[in-house]
């Protein structure tokens, strides 16, 4: 996704000769994209747009949702999308043509990236470090912990660890075996 030019579909089946195969320019300020099956979920300001990408040459808009605050990142888990920005929003995407807001959780500050691992979401909250959010009840996400850090720009989670990238090009590896501490 490109903030100016929209959604680009790139064929990487031959990594040595990746090529552009599909374009959709009508996105406005697209900021992040997540893909599941034949659907691409694109966040921008302030909307969620869902595209059918089953024909990669002709992505087409099939669903959208006006969300209450701007979004910078999106992560998917099952039939839920988690959108981060001025708050964390839980969206039911079981019917991609009709996404539905399930819950909104205010965060201590704006978040710029989000990762999901099991029943927890990890939000990169810029100057506030990494916020740990319990999402075991999608209708009632709640902040359960935080890891102070410098200016966190990105976050990923895998195998009981959270990886946070900060502005100084450093990587913090966080033990998340007990997400509350």
């Amino acid at each position: 996704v490109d903030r100016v030019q929209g959604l680009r579909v790139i064929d990487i089946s031959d990594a040595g000769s990746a090529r552009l195969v599909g374009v959709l320019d009508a996105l406005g300020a697209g900021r992040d994209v997540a893909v599941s099956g034949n659907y691409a979920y694109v966040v921008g300001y302030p909307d969620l747009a869902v595209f059918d990408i089953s024909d990669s040459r002709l992505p087409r808009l099939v669903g959208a949702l006006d969300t209450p605050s701007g979004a910078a990142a999106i992560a998917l888990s099952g039939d839920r999308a988690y959108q981060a920005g001025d708050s964390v929003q839980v969206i039911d995407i079981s019917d991609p043509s009709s996404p539905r807001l399930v819950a909104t959780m205010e965060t201590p500050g704006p978040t710029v990236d989000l990762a999901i691992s099991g029943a927890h979401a990890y939000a990169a909250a810029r100057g506030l470090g990494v916020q740990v959010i319990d999402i075991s009840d999608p209708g009632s996400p709640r902040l359960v912990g935080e890891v102070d850090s410098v200016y966190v720009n990105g976050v990923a989670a895998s195998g009981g660890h959270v990886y946070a990238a900060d502005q100084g090009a450093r990587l913090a590896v966080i033990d998340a075996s007990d997400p509350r501490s």
Side-chain angles (χ1 to χ4, degrees):
V1 70
D2 180 301
R3 289 184 185 195
V4 176
Q5 297 178 351
L7 181 67
R8 303 286 187 240
V9 180
I10 300 167
D11 180 350
I12 59 169
S13 57
D14 178 0
S17 62
R19 61 187 177 87
L20 182 67
V21 295
V23 176
L24 186 61
D25 288 329
L27 282 179
R31 294 180 182 221
D32 196 15
V33 62
V35 175
S36 179
N38 288 326
Y39 297 97
Y41 299 86
V42 178
V43 295
Y45 186 82
D47 303 319
L48 169 68
V50 183
F51 294 91
D52 181 332
I53 56 170
S54 56
D55 180 348
S56 59
R57 293 164 301 171
L58 298 169
R60 62 186 177 86
L61 181 68
V62 294
L65 177 67
D66 268 347
T67 54
S69 64
I74 188 167
L76 306 176
S77 180
D79 60 356
R80 300 278 189 263
Y82 297 85
Q83 193 171 280
D86 296 333
S87 62
V88 171
Q89 299 156 7
V90 182
I91 301 167
D92 180 338
I93 56 170
S94 58
D95 177 359
S97 66
S98 185
R100 182 179 58 83
L101 184 65
V102 173
T104 298
M105 186 198 88
E106 296 304 316
T107 54
T111 57
V112 296
D113 198 10
L114 190 67
I116 307 285
S117 182
H120 292 89
Y122 301 91
R126 296 262 180 183
L128 300 172
V130 177
Q131 306 295 309
V132 183
I133 303 162
D134 182 335
I135 56 172
S136 59
D137 176 358
S140 186
R142 56 193 173 87
L143 187 64
V144 295
E146 61 187 359
V147 178
D148 289 333
S149 183
V150 190
Y151 199 82
V152 178
N153 287 325
V155 66
S158 178
H161 289 90
V162 174
Y163 303 89
D166 73 18
Q167 183 176 358
R170 292 179 298 239
L171 177 67
V173 180
I174 302 162
D175 179 355
S177 56
D178 181 0
R180 294 178 189 272
S181 60

